[in-house]
Amino acid sequence: GFWEKVGVAVLGGLCQGDRAEQIVVSLALKGKGAEEFYRGLLEAQGEDFAYLMDVIADPSNHPIVISDSQGKDTAALLSLLFLGTLSTPPDEIIDDFMTSQSAIPDDARRSQASSLALLGLDPTLSFVELDTVETLLDFLNGRYGGIPGYLDYYGFTHEKQKEMQKVFFK
């Protein structure tokens, strides 16, 4: 509600961005499962993902490292979009996305699950399930005609995607 938004603005203004981010994430995820979370993230951050694809496509920015706080959500989605742009088969995209399960140490995963529980969220959001990724790809195919269509919709055009392929398939 209104007061939650005011609290986020105040925390952000007091340089307590981590706490503000926790509140925003809590509000965004309340009552949602992983599938809804990923769909929401893709749609809410579509222009940001398109911008990041522009950065990745520019050879002057290479080499590139894709990372985030856990390497599981934003980084995994960006990797999914990147691989989809390069026409990677869906089973390989899914395998890459699922790598985040094994890449995060158990203690970090437990910490993340505890943090989610403290925010009143389902701790299972700290785990990626195979069917979640398959459903996410189905969503992108159904709504946008696939990953290339999604990226084109948000500004990383088909022409830019072809240029990216040239850069990575020299």
Side-chain angles (χ1 to χ4, degrees):
F2 171 76
W3 290 110
E4 291 165 330
K5 291 177 185 173
V6 169
V8 169
V10 168
L11 287 170
L14 295 174
C15 298
Q16 293 186 16
D18 290 344
R19 181 65 185 130
E21 181 181 3
Q22 287 177 341
I23 292 170
V24 170
V25 169
S26 174
L27 293 172
L29 290 179
K30 222 170 252 301
K32 294 182 180 174
E35 293 171 12
E36 289 177 277
F37 168 66
Y38 286 124
R39 283 194 310 261
L41 187 59
L42 282 171
E43 293 199 316
Q45 302 300 127
E47 291 173 2
D48 295 326
F49 281 120
Y51 168 76
L52 290 170
M53 294 299 287
D54 275 323
V55 171
I56 293 170
D58 183 348
S60 70
N61 293 324
H62 296 175
I64 297 278
V65 174
I66 298 173
S67 183
D68 64 12
S69 64
Q70 294 289 325
K72 172 180 105 37
D73 298 318
T74 307
L77 287 173
L78 185 59
S79 180
L80 174 140
L81 296 171
F82 171 72
L83 293 172
T85 301
L86 299 180
S87 302
T88 305
D91 59 322
E92 291 181 30
I93 293 173
I94 291 169
D95 287 345
D96 181 78
F97 199 99
M98 293 304 296
T99 300
S100 65
Q101 273 303 314
S102 60
I104 299 173
D106 289 340
D107 59 333
R109 175 105 42 224
R110 283 190 296 274
S111 173
Q112 185 183 42
S114 295
S115 295
L116 289 168
L118 287 172
L119 293 170
L121 302 173
D122 184 352
T124 62
L125 287 171
S126 65
F127 298 91
V128 177
E129 300 291 337
L130 178 62
D131 63 331
T132 300
V133 185
E134 292 170 339
T135 301
L136 182 60
L137 289 175
D138 289 343
F139 163 74
L140 289 169
N141 288 331
R143 177 151 308 166
Y144 301 99
I147 292 171
Y150 164 83
L151 290 168
D152 184 66
Y153 180 84
Y154 284 105
F156 190 67
T157 64
H158 291 295
E159 293 76 25
K160 291 179 180 181
Q161 292 173 49
K162 287 178 185 165
E163 289 301 314
M164 177 185 254
Q165 289 174 355
K166 289 178 188 174
V167 167
F168 286 94
F169 292 129
K170 285 183 183 179

